Amino acid sequence: MFRMFWYEIKMDFLRSIRYRFGMISDLLVYFALFTVFMVTDSGNSYAQTYHYGNYKELVLLGYVAWIYAISAISNVAGSLQSELTHGTLYKKVSSRYPLQYLFGGLYVSSVLLETITIVIVVIISKFVWGIEFSFHPAFLVPILLESLGMYGIGLIVAGIAIYFKRTGTIVFLIQTALLFVTDTVPTSDAILKITHYIPLTRCNEILRQIAVGGEYTGMLPGLCIVALVWLVIGSVFFDVMLKQAKKRGNLLFY
């Protein structure tokens, strides 16, 4: 089981390195979008909210968390659609291990690759925008928890994809919405009351508290619970949609 998980990580990682134009294009898109936020001075309100002068660092932290979040959604759904397109999904469906487990290997690979992209974006931002970014080991805990929760949301999108086949527009809409409703950039309190149950929103708050030296440990249990709930919901929903696709008879069609 662990060997299969490792092979999924290894194959996806090598495939992405070999066809590295995708990584380069991601880097350009991510930095271009972040440049828009810097030019429009998004996040200026964080200076007052957190009493922290280096508010651009807080925007960058939220942006990093958002990249990890959308990676969970796009990678799982994209991998599923790719398997359907190439007619290779049947091999994984016939495996003794759940598809959620196999796609988890692909997601781990995407996290590693996205980390490389994120490091480059952070370095470029430091030189171009003069952002003083300090890495705290404590950042890893909320990002890890957020990634698990967003992977659950990715499984929900994948469940929709395995039944309805084409979900490109849905993925794009979700990614865009997450950028503006999860406090990645300043979001109204009314919206945050609703999106507070999304792992990314809680992660953003914790990351910024860590950065400004605030109290954050009391927030971690809530993020952990929310992440696990989404992971369970996503896994169950994916199983239900997989069974419905089999029942409908269109599981392996695209």
Side-chain angles (χ1 to χ4, degrees):
M1 181 173 66
F2 291 106
R3 185 172 62 179
M4 180 171 289
F5 189 79
W6 164 248
Y7 282 155
E8 288 291 338
I9 297 174
K10 183 178 179 180
M11 286 189 298
D12 185 64
F13 189 83
L14 292 176
R15 182 166 54 244
S16 299
I17 294 296
R18 180 174 299 175
Y19 302 102
R20 50 187 173 274
F21 180 76
M23 294 180 62
I24 296 174
S25 63
D26 285 348
L27 175 61
L28 294 175
V29 171
Y30 288 149
F31 184 72
L33 183 57
F34 185 70
T35 296
V36 173
F37 294 146
M38 292 296 97
V39 170
T40 57
D41 205 24
S42 298
N44 185 42
S45 61
Y46 290 147
Q48 292 183 334
T49 302
Y50 294 94
H51 305 289
Y52 192 66
N54 187 17
Y55 67 89
K56 291 183 179 180
E57 179 189 17
L58 303 184
V59 177
L60 182 57
L61 277 173
Y63 194 64
V64 167
W66 175 76
I67 292 176
Y68 279 121
I70 65 171
S71 176
I73 297 172
S74 60
N75 183 267
V76 178
S79 297
L80 178 63
Q81 290 185 325
S82 178
E83 297 281 357
L84 284 168
T85 304
H86 293 92
T88 55
L89 183 64
Y90 75 94
K91 294 182 179 180
K92 292 186 176 181
V93 172
S94 60
S95 170
R96 75 172 91 176
Y97 305 114
L99 280 175
Q100 299 96 311
Y101 180 81
L102 300 179
F103 285 127
L106 296 175
Y107 178 53
V108 170
S109 174
S110 73
V111 167
L112 296 175
L113 293 168
E114 292 292 5
T115 300
I116 296 174
T117 303
I118 287 170
V119 170
I120 296 174
V121 169
V122 170
I123 293 174
I124 296 176
S125 299
K126 179 179 177 63
F127 286 102
V128 175
W129 300 110
I131 299 176
E132 294 298 328
F133 183 85
S134 300
F135 173 76
H136 298 274
F139 287 157
L140 299 177
V141 177
I143 287 178
L144 175 60
L145 292 173
E146 173 227 12
S147 296
L148 289 174
M150 298 309 295
Y151 178 66
I153 295 178
L155 287 175
I156 293 176
V157 178
I160 296 173
I162 206 167
Y163 188 82
F164 295 103
K165 309 308 178 186
R166 297 179 181 272
T167 58
T169 304
I170 294 176
V171 172
F172 175 75
L173 290 175
I174 293 175
Q175 291 175 340
T176 304
L178 287 174
L179 185 60
F180 296 103
V181 303
T182 58
D183 211 30
T184 298
V185 292
T187 307
S188 72
D189 292 337
I191 294 177
L192 289 177
K193 288 180 180 179
I194 300 174
T195 61
H196 192 60
Y197 298 99
I198 297 176
L200 177 57
T201 305
R202 290 176 178 255
C203 178
N204 283 335
E205 174 63 20
I206 294 173
L207 290 176
R208 287 165 184 153
Q209 289 294 338
I210 294 173
V212 303
E215 171 58 38
Y216 66 91
T217 53
M219 303 178 183
L220 289 175
L223 174 58
C224 184
I225 293 172
V226 169
L228 289 176
V229 167
W230 277 110
L231 188 60
V232 171
I233 291 175
S235 183
V236 171
F237 182 83
F238 184 83
D239 273 338
V240 170
M241 297 305 286
L242 180 62
K243 291 177 181 178
Q244 289 299 316
K246 289 180 179 179
K247 184 177 180 180
R248 189 181 184 185
N250 72 337
L251 175 62
L252 301 178
F253 293 98
Y254 185 70

